[in-house]
Structure formats: C-alpha cells, structure tokens
Amino acid sequence: MNPTCKKRLGAIRLETMKVVAQEEIAPAIFELVLEGEMVEAMRAGQFLHLRVPDDAHLLRRPISISSIDKVKKQCHLIYRIEGAGTAIFSTLSQGDTLDVMGPQGNGFDLSDLDEQNQVLLVGGGIGVPPLLEVAKELHARGVKVVTVLGFATKDAVILETELAQCGQVFVTTDDGSYGIKGNVSVVIKDLDSQFDAVYSCGAPGMMKYINQTFYDHPRAYLSLESRMACGMGACYACVLKVPESETVSQRVCEDGPVFRTGTVVL
C-alpha cells in the first residue's frame, strides 16, 4: 500500500496524516498541525473528519481547517476539548498519525475579490479558526479585511494577533474582561463601511444575528456547525430546513458547512 495509505471514496479522500506539532493555545483549546497529500485539495472553509485513535469511539469528529500551507503540505486545525474523543486528540504529539477523511464541505467563495474590495469577517469562540485562512488569502490579494471577534472572556481569546496581520481587528468579550464589552453586534452596528462580502462562523446565536442582519446581502456567508455521523451526506443527521419549504432540506456536511445568508432556517 502507498505509505500515506490513501484511498478515494467518490469525492472523499481517506489518508493517514502525520502529526507535525500540537500546542494548547488557550484553556482546553489546541492547535494541531497535520501533514499529508490531502492538503493540496483543501480550500478555506472546509473541514476534516478525524477518526479518534481509540476503538471505543466509532464516530469521527469534524474539525474546521484553520490555515493551509500547500508548499509544506501542512494544515492547522484548532479545536476545543468537548468530550472524550477530542480529549484523546489533545494527547497526540509529533510523529503520531491520524486517520483523516476529507477535505469536506463546499468552503467559502473567495472568487473575484481584489484590492478594490472590502470584506467583513465575523467570528465567535471556536468558530474563529476557519476565518484565518480566509483572511490570509484575501489579504494576499490586497483586499481590505475588517474582522470582528466575540469571546466569552479574556482567557478564551484566540488568533487575534494572526488576524491583525491581515487587517483591522475588533475584539469583544461578554464580561468586558478584554476589548469591547458585549457581543459582536455592538461593533457591527456602528461600522460605517459597505462590505462587498461577509464571512462568518460562530455559535448559533451569532449566526442567527448575522443571518438576519445580512439576510439580503448578495455575498454574505455562514459557516455552520452541527453534529454529524457519516460526514458524507448519506445519514441526514445534520439537516437544515430551507425557507418557505416543508420538503427541501440542506445537509451541513455535504451542502455546507458554508451557506449564503437567507438560504437556510436557523
């Protein structure tokens, strides 16, 4: 067998990826660096489905891709320990391997944006990581990037420095322990700029706010999280309803995780 243990399942790739590094960047939040051929196919906004290296845990865990380095064939994943499966991931170290399915999902549409455009990124908590690759790619094209981040408290703040390298960053905290007190709406409602595109990822409440605020925007996107089983659209465990339809649904794993505002019911 090929040393990377690659297979193809239709459009889905299975690969044994190597752990390059891992670091705890905030309480219970880890940054995992993986290396493998799969990186060449990754796009901003997609996710990977990771098999827990423990036979007691049958379901894979979906984790968003935070940044992509196609030259080194490395990607960064940032995740929070939520249960036994992600706790096992946090014990991995350099040289270990992971059974990875992906890259999955439709990702963010970053086409046709250049130095003449201005975009807004809105992220909350563990929803911030997938926006980093968006910021990096757009900044490299000369796009003006404005980012608004929301966290519960100072200790939970992540990726502020990295995102600040790509443009202006506003940080809010629910308790006012860092940045601006309140949630992202406190900042967004006072922004005077007209944005050519909006990219967002965060908790359900934040996504509802972005969906309502930019409902009719021609280029505003939500990256949604959901519990999922197969990760390939077959089990329909992660479906969302479509506005004004009782029969049509969208699957977060296959049709998402990125959706245009106004296209799904939150």
Side-chain angles (χ1 to χ4, degrees):
M1 182 180 290
N2 184 300
T4 59
C5 302
K6 292 188 294 180
K7 301 178 184 177
R8 293 290 295 180
L9 297 179
I12 302 296
R13 179 181 303 198
L14 281 175
E15 182 176 343
T16 299
M17 300 186 74
K18 182 174 68 175
V19 175
V20 176
Q22 179 154 234
E23 177 186 5
E24 187 172 13
I25 61 173
I29 298 178
F30 290 78
E31 181 172 18
L32 176 65
V33 184
L34 297 178
E35 182 177 285
E37 299 296 325
M38 186 185 297
V39 175
E40 296 179 357
M42 293 179 183
R43 294 187 295 111
Q46 292 185 302
F47 68 95
L48 301 181
H49 222 192
L50 308 183
R51 182 183 182 277
V52 180
D54 184 324
D55 291 339
H57 302 275
L58 299 179
L59 295 181
R60 293 175 179 267
R61 270 52 174 184
I63 299 180
S64 298
I65 300 166
S66 178
S67 62
I68 303 165
D69 187 332
K70 295 190 177 184
V71 175
K72 293 183 178 180
K73 297 183 180 180
Q74 294 178 356
C75 65
H76 292 234
L77 311 179
I78 296 177
Y79 65 93
R80 180 171 55 210
I81 294 179
E82 300 282 5
T86 44
I88 292 173
F89 289 149
S90 72
T91 66
L92 297 172
S93 58
Q94 184 179 19
D96 289 334
T97 59
L98 270 177
D99 183 322
V100 180
M101 181 185 292
Q104 295 180 240
N106 58 25
F108 288 111
D109 178 9
L110 307 182
S111 62
D112 305 321
L113 293 170
D114 56 29
E115 65 276 1
Q116 300 180 42
N117 300 118
Q118 180 172 232
V119 306
L120 174 65
L121 309 184
V122 186
I126 204 63
V128 172
L131 298 177
L132 179 57
E133 181 64 24
V134 175
K136 289 167 61 178
E137 292 188 21
L138 293 180
H139 176 66
R141 298 185 202 171
V143 177
K144 183 178 180 181
V145 179
V146 178
T147 304
V148 183
L149 306 176
F151 301 95
T153 188
K154 179 180 179 179
D155 290 342
V157 176
I158 57 173
L159 299 180
E160 178 189 7
T161 301
E162 292 83 349
L163 285 162
Q165 295 174 5
C166 301
Q168 186 176 20
V169 176
F170 299 91
V171 178
T172 69
T173 52
D174 294 342
D175 61 5
S177 56
Y178 185 79
I180 302 165
K181 185 175 183 179
N183 57 40
V184 296
S185 66
V186 174
V187 174
I188 293 173
K189 67 181 179 62
D190 289 333
L191 292 177
D192 295 328
S193 302
Q194 295 294 316
F195 295 99
D196 299 293
V198 180
Y199 303 93
S200 64
C201 185
M206 177 184 290
M207 294 298 91
K208 287 183 180 179
Y209 166 74
I210 297 298
N211 191 47
Q212 293 170 354
T213 304
F214 298 98
Y215 194 89
D216 295 320
H217 193 289
R219 198 164 183 177
Y221 303 93
L222 314 162
S223 178
L224 305 178
E225 295 183 353
S226 176
R227 291 184 176 276
M228 57 184 68
C230 73
M232 296 182 291
C235 68
Y236 281 78
C238 58
V239 297
L240 295 170
K241 293 183 178 180
V242 173
E244 300 179 5
S245 176
E246 294 296 326
T247 58
V248 179
S249 61
Q250 295 282 285
R251 300 157 295 179
V252 174
C253 68
E254 185 72 9
D255 302 309
V258 176
F259 298 93
R260 281 185 52 196
T261 53
T263 63
V264 291
V265 177
L266 302 180

